[in-house]
Amino acid sequence: LRRSSPSPTTPASSRTPTGSLTGRRTGTVKIWDFAGSCCSLTLSDHTQVAWSCAFHDSGDFVVSGSLDQTAKLWDLNTGRCRQTLRGHMDSVNSVSFMPYTNVVATCSGDKTVSLWDIRSGLCQQTLYGHLNSCNHVTFSLKGDMMLSTDADGVVKVWDVRTVSERASVSVGPFPVNRATFDPSASCIVMPSDDMSIKIYDLEEAKVIGELKGHEDAAQAVLFDPSGRFMASCSSDGALKMWSY
């Protein structure tokens, strides 16, 4: 399983977080100032590699996930860890904020997805169903649906309101590294280790398109705010722009 760099997140002001490996046993989160082209803050509390991080919509908080089996909530105004979310039994591979809420989703090598209340630091719900390590978790723009991917090439769509599985899509045997909803949340886009990017229609319950062009594992995809274009990156070192 290839481990990719954290996916781009919409920046608050001129800052964006990145999970950074600064040694075999040390994981840090760095906040970068675009205007000054420099690191403005380094957050250090994880004991192992930090794989993933995401901004809260307010821009005041960042959550990070680590190989040390925890997720951490950071206060950017003080530079301190506000909460440590414990409960996973393996690496926390991906983290995501539910839009405009105090809820964080995490997914782990223990094959589970969990929802947390960052105010209390308590786990609200744990979702089961994956049979292999979970690579990535993300929400739809409305926050009513959630995606999780795993190393078997399975993508699960979860209904957040009923906390239940809405659909399960298998495009294996290669891992699906990350997945995202299109802006309408009617389709999901899945980059895979087989070098392709598959588009799945939730209403029709089938793959309706496949984008090919990368020469190694497709690692991540991201839509522009208008929804007209999509960017993809790959282990081949290429960044591609697609009309959607």
Side-chain angles (χ1 to χ4, degrees):
L1 173 64
R2 294 178 175 86
R3 179 60 51 194
S4 60
S5 298
S7 59
T9 306
T10 303
S13 302
S14 59
R15 300 174 298 186
T16 183
T18 61
S20 174
L21 173 61
T22 57
R24 189 171 180 83
R25 297 183 180 179
T26 303
T28 64
V29 178
K30 291 182 179 292
I31 308 300
W32 299 91
D33 185 330
F34 282 160
S37 299
C38 63
C39 176
S40 60
L41 182 63
T42 298
L43 308 171
S44 303
D45 200 32
H46 284 296
T47 58
Q48 296 189 61
V49 181
W51 293 128
S52 176
C53 51
F55 263 118
H56 188 267
D57 291 297
S58 67
D60 293 325
F61 300 97
V62 162
V63 66
S64 59
S66 170
L67 184 62
D68 65 11
Q69 304 181 10
T70 70
K72 291 183 180 289
L73 177 73
W74 306 89
D75 186 328
L76 299 184
N77 296 306
T78 63
R80 295 185 177 182
C81 178
R82 289 278 295 270
Q83 296 279 9
T84 297
L85 311 179
R86 295 183 173 91
H88 283 296
M89 304 302 292
D90 205 331
S91 171
V92 177
N93 294 329
S94 179
V95 295
S96 181
F97 274 105
M98 183 188 296
Y100 305 105
T101 72
N102 293 309
V103 175
V104 165
T106 59
C107 73
S108 170
D110 65 12
K111 310 174 189 176
T112 67
V113 178
S114 292
L115 297 174
W116 307 80
D117 185 333
I118 60 172
R119 294 167 298 186
S120 65
L122 298 177
C123 180
Q124 295 180 318
Q125 192 76 39
T126 298
L127 307 175
Y128 299 89
H130 285 288
L131 301 179
N132 207 335
S133 175
C134 294
N135 299 333
H136 184 59
V137 64
T138 191
F139 289 94
S140 63
L141 292 177
K142 290 183 179 179
D144 58 338
M145 291 190 292
M146 182 173 64
L147 291 177
S148 57
T149 72
D150 72 25
D152 284 335
V154 173
V155 179
K156 290 189 178 293
V157 184
W158 306 92
D159 187 317
V160 175
R161 292 166 296 188
T162 61
V163 198
S164 61
E165 184 180 309
R166 175 174 170 178
S168 183
V169 184
S170 178
V171 292
F174 296 97
V176 174
N177 295 313
R178 291 171 184 260
T180 190
F181 291 98
D182 74 350
S184 68
S186 61
C187 294
I188 54 178
V189 183
M190 304 170 288
S192 170
D193 264 18
D194 68 2
M195 302 183 287
S196 73
I197 300 167
K198 297 176 177 65
I199 302 171
Y200 182 88
D201 189 296
L202 289 172
E203 186 173 342
E204 297 183 14
K206 65 179 183 181
V207 175
I208 59 171
E210 187 171 0
L211 306 177
K212 295 184 177 181
H214 285 295
E215 298 177 358
D216 204 339
Q219 294 290 355
V221 293
L222 182 70
F223 282 94
D224 82 309
S226 72
R228 295 174 54 204
F229 302 100
M230 183 181 71
S232 65
C233 63
S234 164
S235 296
D236 62 12
L239 176 68
K240 292 183 179 292
M241 298 294 295
W242 310 82
S243 295
Y244 186 74

